[in-house]
Amino acid sequence: MIALDDTRARRQLPRRAYRKLLEGAFWMVIYVAYSNVYTYQAMTKPQFYAHRSLLSSALYMCTTGLVVRSAYYTAWKMGEGACILAGLGFDGYDAHGAVQWMDIANVHVRGVELGSSLRQLIDSWNVGTNTWLRHHVYLRISRTPADGARASSTRATVLTFLVSAWWHGFYPGYYLTFVLIALAANAARILRRNLHAIAALPADNHASALRRCVKCAYDVAGWILSKYTLDFAAAPFMVLSLQPSMQLWRDNYFVVPLAVLGIFIAFNVLGAGRFIRSLVGQSQSAPGKKTGKRLKK
């Protein structure tokens, strides 16, 4: 263990710790002020949808998800500040003698709230548990079998999230939440693998204004869809019981489960990925063909 025997390091402790304390206090104010206004339980009642459109319900759901997460942000950020104040984040010195601090955060709020992909949101939440599940469950399940057959990433993801649900308890809502998030994460991976080439910027970063607009729209769409998917899937986790959870999803037209199912059918059955790759290939090879004709002339 590295000893905190440097005056410079000790002077940095209060500033770093109290910054986390203030961050935790901010999220505590959010939770106290709005936890009775925005609740998933309210969305299980039929009268909630009497004068609301699907868009209005979606906005309410996303706001509710933020308020619910603020309680976790409060606990984790204050706990992080306490650990920093105790010196647990001190990591020695770099080659130039400057003080180094390790990342001991259990949640990266910016990654959860502003992440442009569902994977980024998941990786930024409950970091310690995610790391344990990845190394001790996911990597063991997804390891290539002795016969050389390809391991299924979907199967590994679903089983890993089922272990997490089992760790939380036996309420049906836990299993609805974690199974849907696991399937949605695999669907998002399929979409990103097939659509990323359309929006990706060139390696030299010299892209036209149109290409940059496409990339920006791609990131914004990813952020909106990822946030809604997370908040939709988290509803049963807070409602807990099976019937109210299914009622909530039904009143919101099962948007996320049906979208996930549609992605699996489109790309795994109908071959949408091959069609998209052929379009990208044609668009990339078109300039070369024109150049070739000019050279022949």
Side-chain angles (χ1 to χ4, degrees):
M1 183 176 179
I2 304 173
L4 259 173
D5 56 356
D6 192 330
T7 304
R8 292 174 299 167
R10 290 184 176 277
R11 286 176 178 174
Q12 292 181 21
L13 285 178
R15 183 174 68 252
R16 294 173 58 85
Y18 293 139
R19 188 186 306 146
K20 300 301 179 183
L21 174 64
L22 290 175
E23 189 175 349
F26 167 78
W27 291 112
M28 181 174 61
V29 171
I30 296 295
Y31 183 75
V32 171
Y34 297 105
S35 59
N36 290 327
V37 179
Y38 297 95
T39 65
Y40 281 115
Q41 284 72 17
M43 300 187 70
T44 63
K45 300 175 181 178
Q47 57 267 31
F48 175 85
Y49 303 93
H51 303 288
R52 289 181 184 270
S53 63
L54 180 60
L55 178 59
S56 176
S57 299
L59 292 175
Y60 182 94
M61 181 180 291
C62 291
T63 306
T64 301
L66 174 62
V67 172
V68 169
R69 288 190 297 275
S70 65
Y72 295 88
Y73 294 156
T74 299
W76 280 333
K77 286 304 176 182
M78 287 188 174
E80 182 183 349
C83 290
I84 291 174
L85 195 59
L88 297 181
F90 179 65
D91 197 28
Y93 311 91
D94 61 15
H96 304 286
V99 179
Q100 293 187 124
W101 301 93
M102 71 177 73
D103 183 11
I104 60 173
N106 199 45
V107 63
H108 300 293
V109 178
R110 183 176 299 178
V112 176
E113 301 301 334
L114 299 177
S116 60
S117 68
L118 190 58
R119 179 177 179 179
Q120 185 178 356
L121 269 62
I122 294 172
D123 290 344
S124 300
W125 177 265
N126 205 353
V127 177
T129 302
N130 274 336
T131 302
W132 187 92
L133 287 170
R134 174 174 177 80
H135 288 284
H136 296 282
V137 182
Y138 179 83
L139 292 180
R140 292 186 179 187
I141 298 174
S142 61
R143 186 179 301 165
T144 303
D147 59 3
R150 183 180 178 183
S152 171
S153 60
T154 301
R155 172 176 170 271
T157 302
V158 171
L159 290 177
T160 301
F161 276 88
L162 281 175
V163 170
S164 182
W166 174 75
W167 179 85
H168 280 85
F170 296 100
Y171 283 107
Y174 294 153
Y175 296 86
L176 290 176
T177 290
F178 284 106
V179 169
L180 180 56
I181 290 180
L183 295 175
N186 279 281
R189 185 186 300 125
I190 293 173
L191 280 180
R192 190 171 184 83
R193 185 170 61 240
N194 288 278
L195 300 180
H196 184 68
I198 299 176
L201 296 176
D204 57 6
N205 208 27
H206 294 297
S208 63
L210 177 61
R211 193 65 180 270
R212 292 184 182 276
C213 289
V214 171
K215 179 62 168 62
C216 181
Y218 175 83
D219 290 337
V220 171
W223 171 66
I224 294 174
L225 294 175
S226 299
K227 287 289 296 175
Y228 181 70
T229 300
L230 177 66
D231 294 325
F232 186 99
F237 187 92
M238 302 305 300
V239 176
L240 298 178
S241 300
L242 179 61
Q243 195 278 331
S245 298
M246 297 303 295
Q247 180 66 43
L248 189 154
W249 279 3
R250 182 163 53 249
D251 289 335
N252 287 274
Y253 304 102
F254 292 103
V255 172
V256 174
L258 290 178
V260 170
L261 179 62
I263 291 171
F264 282 131
I265 293 176
F267 287 91
N268 295 338
V269 178
L270 301 180
R274 292 190 299 271
F275 176 73
I276 293 175
R277 286 192 294 272
S278 67
L279 290 179
V280 174
Q282 291 175 5
S283 64
Q284 291 178 347
S285 61
K289 292 180 180 179
K290 293 180 180 178
T291 305
K293 290 181 180 178
R294 291 173 183 171
L295 290 174
K296 288 181 181 179
K297 290 180 179 178

